C-alpha cells in the first residue's frame, strides 16, 4: 500500500530529522512511501491508503500559521496519524485546543490497552504545546504532564504527541496495521 | 555548528550549507576528561586547523568533563555564539544518542534557538557510503570497542572499511558509524573546504582494547 508522509516542517533541513526516519520505517515495513510538504496540493492526495503528518523542530510553529491548509482533516476518512505537531493539527481541526506544555527527552507513558503503546513504556518527547482532547476523541495514553495518544471515536484518525520514529517504531507499525488491505 | 572534528559534524555541516544555511561559527568544547559523556575527545585540539581549512570561525571552551559540568560549559559556549554572532540555531551531527540530543534540545530551548540534527536516525551504512562518494577524507583516530583492534587506527573510511564495519556490526552489535562510541574519526578534507589537511606526525597509543591515533602535527595542503 501507499503511505503519504506530509512534512509539517518550515525548514527543509528539519525534514531529515522529522520526516526521513518515518519514511524509512514505512518502507522497511514493505510499503510505498510518498512525501510532500503540507502546503502541497498533493496533500492529502487521492490515492494514498494512509497519511502521516510529521513532527517539527521544537522552535517551529509555522504550521500553526497555516491551519487552513489542514481543513481536509475533519472530513478525511482514510487512516491518518499525526505525530507531535501533526497531533496538534488534528486536534485543532476537530475543535480542540492547544496549551503550553514542554517535554524534552525520554518520558514514561501511562496507557490504556488500545493505545498502540504499552503501559509504562518510555518514549522520546520534543514539544512545547499539547492538545486538549477534542470532542469525539478518546484519550488513550498520557505522561504526568499531558495527553500523548488520542483516537477519533469513529474515524481512523490518531494523534501521538511523542515521536514514535525515535524509540517506538512499533507505534507506526500498529498504525499501518489498521490500514485496510495492509 | 557543534563541531568535534569527526565525520558526523562535518557531514551535518555540509548538509546545512547545501540547504542554504549560513554556518556562522564552529563550536568546540575541549574536554580534559578522556571519557567525556558528551564530546568526542581524540585530537579535538586539531579542530582549529579544520576550521581554518573551512574558513569558518571557531569558538572553543575548555571543560573538565564532569558529566553535568560539561553541559554548563556547552550552554555557555552556545550562549556566547548567540550573543556575539547572533546565531539563530545550532546544528549537530548526532545520529542515535537520545542523551546528547535531549541535552542540546534543552539548552537551545532555554536560549530560544532552533536545533537541526540532519543525521538523526540516518541509515548508517548508506550514510558512510555517501561520505566516501562525496569526497570526505575520514580517518579513524580512536577505537574503543573490542572488535576494533589497533590496525584500525589511522585507517581511512572507504568502501572496504565500510564493508568490514557492517560485518562487525552484524557480528558484535557495534554501530557501523561508531555512534555508540565504538570509534572516533577525524576529517582531513571535505567538499567546500578551502584547503585540505595532511598528517605529518602522529603516534599510536593502544592498550586494553582501546586506543587513539594522536595527531601531533598537521600540514595544510592545496585541495
Amino acid at each position: 500500500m501507499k503511505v503519504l508522509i506530509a512534512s509539517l516542517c518550515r525548514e527543509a533541513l528539519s525534514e531529515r530529522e522529522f520526516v526521513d526516519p518515518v519514511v524509512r520505517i514505512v518502507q522497511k515495513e514493505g510499503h510505498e512511501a510518498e512525501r510532500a510538504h503540507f502546503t502541497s496540493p498533493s496533500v492529502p492526495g487521492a490515492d494514498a491508503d494512509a497519511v502521516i503528518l510529521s513532527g517539527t523542530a521544537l522552535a517551529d510553529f509555522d504550521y500553526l500559521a497555516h491551519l487552513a491548509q489542514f481543513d481536509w482533516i475533519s472530513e478525511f476518512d482514510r487512516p491518518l496519524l499525526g505525530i507531535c505537531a501533526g497531533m496538534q493539527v488534528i486536534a485543532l481541526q476537530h475543535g480542540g485546543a492547544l496549551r503550553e506544555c514542554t517535554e524534552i527527552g525520554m518520558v514514561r507513558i501511562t496507557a490504556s490497552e488500545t493505545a498502540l503503546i504499552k503501559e509504562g513504556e518510555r518514549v522520546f518527547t520534543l514539544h512545547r504545546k499539547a492538545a486538549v482532547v477534542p470532542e469525539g476523541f478518546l484519550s488513550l495514553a498520557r505522561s504526568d504532564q499531558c495527553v500523548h495518544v488520542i483516537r477519533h471515536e469513529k474515524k481512523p484518525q490518531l494523534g501521538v504527541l511523542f515521536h514514535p520514529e525515535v524509540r517506538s517504531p512499533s507505534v507506526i507499525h500498529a498504525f499501518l496495521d489498521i490500514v485496510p488491505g495492509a | 555548528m557543534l563541531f568535534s572534528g569527526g565525520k558526523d559534524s562535518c557531514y551535518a555541516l555540509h548538509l546545512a550549507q547545501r540547504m542554504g544555511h549560513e554556518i556562522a561559527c564552529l563550536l568546540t568544547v575541549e574536554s580534559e576528561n578522556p571519557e567525556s559523556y558528551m564530546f568526542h575527545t581524540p585530537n579535538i585540539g586539531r579542530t582549529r586547523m579544520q576550521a581554518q581549512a573551512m574558513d569558518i570561525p571557531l569558538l572553543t571552551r575548555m571543560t573538565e568533563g564532569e558529566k553535568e559540568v560539561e553541559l554548563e560549559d556547552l550552554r555557555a559556549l552556545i550562549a556566547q555564539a548567540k550573543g556575539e554572532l547572533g546565531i539563530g540555531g545550532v546544528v549537530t551531527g548526532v545520529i542515535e544518542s537520545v542523551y546528547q540530543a535531549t541535552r542540546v534540545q534543552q539548552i537551545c530551548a532555554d536560549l530560544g534557538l532552533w536545533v537541526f540534527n540532519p543525521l538523526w536516525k540516518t541509515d548508517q551504512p548508506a550514510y558512510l557510503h555517501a561520505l566516501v562518494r562525496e569526497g570526505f577524507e575520514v580517518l579513524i583516530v580512536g577505537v574503543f570497542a573490542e572488535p576494533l583492534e589497533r590496525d584500525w587506527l589511522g585507517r581511512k573510511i572507504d568502501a572496504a572499511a565500510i564493508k568490514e564495519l557492517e560485518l562487525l556490526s552484524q557480528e558484535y552489535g557495534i554501530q557501523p558509524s561508531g555512534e555508540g562510541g565504538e570509534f572516533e574519526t577525524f576529517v582531513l578534507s571535505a567538499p567546500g573546504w578551502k584547503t585540505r589537511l595532511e598528517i605529518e606526525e602522529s603516534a599510536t597509543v593502544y592498550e586494553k582494547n582501546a586506543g587513539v591515533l594522536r595527531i601531533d602535527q598537521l600540514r595544510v595542503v592545496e585541495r
Side-chain angles (χ1 to χ4, degrees):
Chain A
M1 68 185 189
K2 185 162 157 183
V3 181
L4 174 67
I5 295 110
S7 163
L8 269 59
C9 300
R10 188 187 89 179
E11 299 292 334
L13 187 58
S14 296
E15 294 181 354
R16 296 186 59 99
E17 188 175 348
F18 296 99
V19 180
D20 291 13
V22 179
V23 167
R24 280 192 290 270
I25 290 168
V26 168
Q27 287 173 336
K28 215 170 166 185
E29 288 296 289
H31 305 300
E32 187 186 341
E34 187 184 306
R35 40 191 306 163
H37 193 256
F38 74 89
T39 53
S40 158
S42 59
V43 175
D47 62 342
D49 298 296
V51 176
I52 299 177
L53 306 176
S54 82
T56 66
L58 192 61
D60 185 353
F61 298 107
D62 194 51
Y63 57 96
L64 293 177
H66 299 93
L67 284 176
Q69 298 279 348
F70 299 97
D71 282 347
W72 52 271
I73 287 178
S74 57
E75 300 298 320
F76 194 63
D77 285 320
R78 285 173 269 153
L80 173 67
L81 171 67
I83 297 171
C84 201
M87 168 181 176
Q88 296 170 23
V89 164
I90 290 174
L92 289 170
Q93 284 295 332
H94 286 281
L98 303 185
R99 64 180 184 85
E100 301 299 308
C101 172
T102 299
E103 288 177 303
I104 298 172
M106 299 303 287
V107 161
R108 194 171 298 280
I109 291 290
T110 311
S112 75
E113 281 179 7
T114 53
L116 306 185
I117 187 144
K118 288 199 194 79
E119 163 67 20
E121 199 165 315
R122 294 174 76 240
V123 297
F124 183 75
T125 62
L126 188 67
H127 61 90
R128 308 203 78 147
K129 293 180 189 294
V132 176
V133 183
E135 217 169 295
F137 275 77
L138 301 168
S139 163
L140 300 180
R142 55 175 300 122
S143 68
D144 58 2
Q145 301 282 320
C146 52
V147 172
H148 269 272
V149 179
I150 57 170
R151 196 185 70 206
H152 196 282
E153 287 174 352
K154 298 194 179 77
K155 294 173 188 288
Q157 296 196 4
L158 284 146
V160 296
L161 190 58
F162 61 88
H163 286 265
E165 73 277 14
V166 178
R167 286 288 181 269
S168 339
S170 62
V171 171
I172 295 174
H173 302 160
F175 167 71
L176 296 172
D177 284 344
I178 70 167
V179 180
Chain B
M1 180 75 225
L2 298 192
F3 189 71
S4 68
K7 61 181 170 36
D8 302 341
S9 45
C10 287
Y11 195 69
L13 183 154
H14 170 68
L15 290 171
Q17 286 180 322
R18 204 167 73 188
M19 293 198 183
H21 296 270
E22 182 200 344
I23 302 299
C25 61
L26 308 178
L27 303 177
T28 297
V29 174
E30 303 202 31
S31 176
E32 290 164 355
N33 175 354
E35 290 176 359
S36 162
Y37 286 90
M38 277 296 283
F39 308 110
H40 303 220
T41 45
N43 302 308
I44 205 156
R46 305 272 87 87
T47 57
R48 196 165 305 282
M49 295 209 40
Q50 292 173 309
Q52 284 167 6
M54 285 181 231
D55 197 21
I56 298 176
L58 172 72
L59 302 183
T60 61
R61 188 177 172 97
M62 293 301 291
T63 182
E64 288 171 10
E66 297 287 330
K67 194 169 179 177
E68 295 301 324
V69 175
E70 68 182 10
L71 284 171
E72 287 315 304
D73 288 310
L74 176 62
R75 180 186 299 270
L77 187 62
I78 295 174
Q80 183 191 346
K82 186 185 177 190
E84 290 179 7
L85 299 165
I87 61 167
V90 166
V91 184
T92 89
V94 64
I95 297 175
E96 278 288 338
S97 169
V98 160
Y99 174 83
Q100 289 185 17
T102 300
R103 297 312 185 275
V104 174
Q105 291 282 1
Q106 187 69 60
I107 289 169
C108 290
D110 294 345
L111 294 171
L113 295 170
W114 281 61
V115 178
F116 295 102
N117 300 307
L119 290 177
W120 188 234
K121 308 291 295 177
T122 198
D123 178 310
Q124 294 185 26
Y127 153 55
L128 293 176
H129 284 293
L131 274 176
V132 173
R133 192 174 58 239
E134 295 176 36
F136 285 75
E137 200 178 337
V138 182
L139 289 189
I140 291 183
V141 293
V143 290
F144 309 98
E146 198 190 354
L148 296 169
E149 291 174 355
R150 188 191 188 105
D151 58 350
W152 279 91
L153 289 172
R155 196 162 161 190
K156 190 183 274 192
I157 292 192
D158 55 16
I162 296 168
K163 198 169 181 186
E164 284 181 50
L165 288 168
E166 283 189 79
L167 289 172
L168 290 173
S169 160
Q170 286 157 17
E171 199 167 335
Y172 293 89
I174 67 163
Q175 296 196 47
S177 80
E179 169 75 359
E182 297 90 345
F183 62 91
E184 300 286 356
T185 60
F186 186 83
V187 176
L188 292 170
S189 172
W193 288 26
K194 307 287 183 269
T195 54
R196 57 182 292 274
L197 302 174
E198 271 180 13
I199 295 177
E200 263 189 327
E201 282 174 40
S202 65
T204 298
V205 185
Y206 187 89
E207 57 182 27
K208 292 180 197 155
N209 297 323
V212 297
L213 181 76
R214 200 185 64 221
I215 299 174
D216 295 320
Q217 192 70 45
L218 281 167
R219 175 175 52 194
V220 176
V221 292
E222 297 290 309
R223 272 175 63 84

